[in-house]
Amino acid sequence: MLNSQISNIILDQISQVISTPSRRAGRQAWRAALVLSASQDGQVSLIEIIKNYPTNEVEVDGDRLQSAYRQLRRLQTSLQDLFGV
């Protein structure tokens, strides 16, 4: 699922919000952190993902984080409506 076109777009957006100071680690770093987090206990949390992110430092753009959160909530609502969940 993390290798789909939609996932790539989402991972790219996330990497614009939370990234390394050099902005070099992107989609692949997030994918690795998500897989590592899920493989440990089958669940994923933001703190766990950041802990598993493959660098010692991360920067968070608060304004973009808020915008990304709103977009993800709209996507979640749309998917729930689409699938009747």
Side-chain angles (χ1 to χ4, degrees), residues 13-81:
Q13 287 182 349
I14 291 171
S15 68
Q16 291 176 10
V17 176
I18 303 172
S19 64
T20 63
S22 67
R23 295 214 176 270
R24 289 193 177 175
R27 178 190 311 164
Q28 294 79 8
W30 276 103
R31 186 176 288 120
L34 284 164
V35 169
L36 241 148
S37 297
S39 69
Q40 292 169 354
D41 59 4
Q43 298 183 17
V44 177
S45 72
L46 181 58
I47 297 299
E48 191 175 50
I49 295 167
I50 291 173
K51 284 181 183 178
N52 289 319
Y53 198 69
T55 63
N56 292 329
E57 292 183 46
V58 293
E59 289 184 350
V60 178
D61 183 330
D63 292 334
R64 282 188 165 182
L65 180 61
Q66 185 177 20
S67 175
Y69 175 77
R70 283 193 305 268
Q71 289 176 356
L72 287 172
R73 291 294 293 173
R74 283 194 299 265
L75 176 62
Q76 177 187 16
T77 302
S78 297
L79 290 173
Q80 286 173 335
D81 291 346

